[in-house]
Amino acid sequence: VNVSNYRETECVKMHCLIRDVALRMIDSDSKYMVKSGRCLQRIPDEIEWKEDLEKVSLIDNNISLIPSGISPKCPKLSSLILASNHLRSIPDSFFSQLRALRVLDLSRNYDLEVLPNSVSQLSNLIALLLSECYRLSFVPPLGGLKALKELDLYHTAIKNVPEGLERLVNLNCLNIDSTGLRTIPDGTICKLSHLQSLRIPEDVEVRVEELKALKHLEEFQGGFYDMDTLCHFVRYRQSYETPIFYTIEVSPSLSLLWFPSPVPCQINNNVTLSGIDLGGGKSAIVLPEDIQQLALINCHGLSACLTTAFSSFNIQRRGLTLCLIDNCPELECIMKVSSSEDQLVGEMILSPWAPLEKI
């Protein structure tokens, strides 16, 4: 399902009759309050927040205001979903009696600018989801949320990492991509040793030495300023048997990088080299073993033939299916099909670059 020009998502479709039956069953259970997609203009009255509530979903409504002073008394509430509303602010009192919360989803509240300080007291939280809160610029200190496993700040306006981030030692997933961040303090990432997924803005570099501390890393999105750093990262990761999914941009000017991927979110492992000098007798280029997409943009120092420039790059042993080349003036041809390593079988040429589907 296309949700924007650059992002895709997966979903399941439920027949409207089945959904209505499920909602009626939930309505009869006092542990759940589900009022999703009902065009609500305001938060349910405090009397509707029963003490034995465990899960509340108010997703996809038009709620813009939570009255000051409202404080639902729900000591068992573990999941609260307020995503896809129009919240502008949340009073500090709202979370004061929701200390059992484990999942708080405020995603896609585009006008929300500030998160209340009471969020810092939700010590049982395991997931704090704030993606696409485009105007969100303040997140209170999070160091006390020791149980937190997922923190999603994708496409928010934060300019600094939340205070206490380095103390979230149980964090598995951290997404701070497409934020206003320009730097991450040294020593922050390496302390999050349980991270499995790390997504940072492409123009914010994390030292490879810090990434080395992430022994459980399975997914990485970020950028490096030079090829030496990329090679260092690749050699280190290849010493581990654990597979890793990655999107890596390499450019001396990461903040100016613009890469329109022709197949967004469909290819897991891709590397973009932009404005890089790949010649000059430097050490051999090391690319990940399982790369699927390679982009060369405004690169110099390449030989006339791409297969020569990447002589040690045997595509047949890898999964590379797409190669994008833009403004690489020395390059004259992609591959030579007459080399000794190619074999003509019928009308099919077997080449080290044969698995490529798109150039």
Side-chain angles (χ1 to χ4, degrees):
V1 178
N2 289 314
V3 294
S4 74
N5 291 333
Y6 297 100
R7 296 180 59 235
E8 292 188 353
T9 187
E10 294 181 356
C11 67
V12 294
K13 188 173 182 179
M14 180 184 293
H15 193 284
C16 58
L17 179 60
I18 302 298
R19 182 176 184 273
D20 288 342
V21 171
L23 289 176
R24 285 182 179 275
M25 294 171 64
I26 288 174
D27 284 342
S28 65
D29 192 331
S30 60
K31 295 181 180 179
Y32 305 96
M33 180 166 64
V34 179
K35 296 186 177 184
S36 57
R38 297 191 184 182
C39 299
L40 298 180
Q41 301 290 325
R42 52 177 294 170
I43 204 84
D45 292 333
E46 203 162 339
I47 193 173
E48 297 184 59
W49 297 76
K50 308 296 184 181
E51 284 198 33
D52 54 352
L53 274 176
E54 294 182 4
K55 299 182 187 297
V56 171
S57 176
L58 302 172
I59 190 173
D60 195 19
N61 282 291
N62 299 319
I63 301 171
S64 60
L65 179 66
I66 297 179
S68 178
I70 186 172
S71 180
K73 187 177 181 181
C74 303
K76 298 180 181 179
L77 190 65
S78 63
S79 179
L80 175 59
I81 303 176
L82 277 162
S84 298
N85 276 280
H86 301 284
L87 288 172
R88 296 188 180 93
S89 63
I90 302 175
D92 208 49
S93 61
F94 186 70
F95 296 111
S96 62
Q97 299 189 79
L98 304 179
R99 298 301 175 85
L101 266 185
R102 291 171 58 80
V103 176
L104 176 58
D105 188 354
L106 296 168
S107 304
R108 299 181 300 283
N109 279 282
Y110 305 133
D111 296 322
L112 186 63
E113 298 182 2
V114 176
L115 210 60
N117 287 315
S118 54
V119 170
S120 299
Q121 307 302 318
L122 303 177
S123 58
N124 290 305
L125 268 187
I126 61 172
L128 179 57
L129 311 177
L130 302 164
S131 68
E132 298 183 64
C133 293
Y134 297 130
R135 297 185 180 182
L136 184 67
S137 59
F138 174 76
V139 176
L142 302 179
L145 309 185
K146 302 296 186 182
L148 199 64
K149 293 186 177 181
E150 181 174 2
L151 177 60
D152 190 351
L153 291 163
Y154 171 77
H155 238 309
T156 60
I158 62 168
K159 295 183 178 179
N160 301 292
V161 297
E163 183 181 336
L165 177 66
E166 71 281 357
R167 299 204 296 274
L168 304 181
V169 294
N170 290 308
L171 206 60
N172 296 145
C173 302
L174 174 61
N175 189 348
I176 49 177
D177 184 29
S178 299
T179 59
L181 287 173
R182 289 294 173 263
T183 183
I184 299 176
D186 288 346
T188 299
I189 298 298
C190 63
K191 293 178 181 177
L192 308 178
S193 58
H194 285 82
L195 273 183
Q196 295 174 305
S197 176
L198 173 62
R199 291 172 174 262
I200 62 177
E202 286 84 354
D203 57 344
V204 177
E205 186 175 45
V206 175
R207 294 185 301 111
V208 176
E209 287 71 19
E210 293 211 43
L211 296 176
K212 285 183 177 181
L214 308 182
K215 306 297 185 183
H216 305 286
L217 193 65
E218 298 175 1
E219 180 183 27
F220 173 69
Q221 176 181 306
F224 300 122
Y225 286 102
D226 54 59
M227 283 300 299
D228 288 342
T229 307
L230 172 66
C231 294
H232 186 185
F233 175 75
V234 171
R235 289 191 183 99
Y236 169 72
R237 289 307 309 177
Q238 288 179 349
S239 65
Y240 284 82
E241 296 181 358
T242 304
I244 180 173
F245 302 105
Y246 51 83
T247 298
I248 300 174
E249 322 283 2
V250 183
S251 173
S253 303
L254 286 171
S255 60
L256 302 178
L257 183 62
W258 179 75
F259 172 47
S261 174
V263 280
C265 299
Q266 293 181 355
I267 292 184
N268 290 319
N269 300 339
N270 61 79
V271 174
T272 299
L273 309 180
S274 177
I276 299 292
D277 183 358
L278 299 172
K282 296 181 180 179
S283 57
I285 300 171
V286 179
L287 294 174
E289 292 285 348
D290 52 358
I291 187 173
Q292 292 179 277
Q293 174 175 300
L294 173 64
L296 305 174
I297 303 174
N298 300 325
C299 289
H300 298 268
L302 287 165
S303 57
C305 180
L306 193 62
T307 53
T308 303
F310 294 88
S311 57
S312 62
F313 194 73
N314 190 326
I315 306 301
Q316 280 188 330
R317 292 189 294 105
R318 309 183 188 215
L320 188 70
T321 58
L322 188 150
C323 186
L324 175 70
I325 303 170
D326 181 23
N327 194 25
C328 297
E330 293 101 338
L331 200 62
E332 297 178 0
C333 67
I334 305 298
M335 65 184 74
K336 296 179 179 179
V337 298
S338 60
S339 64
S340 59
E341 60 190 356
D342 297 321
Q343 299 176 7
L344 189 62
V345 180
E347 296 182 354
M348 181 180 293
I349 296 176
L350 299 182
S351 165
W353 288 69
L356 273 174
E357 297 173 358
K358 296 182 181 180
I359 300 179

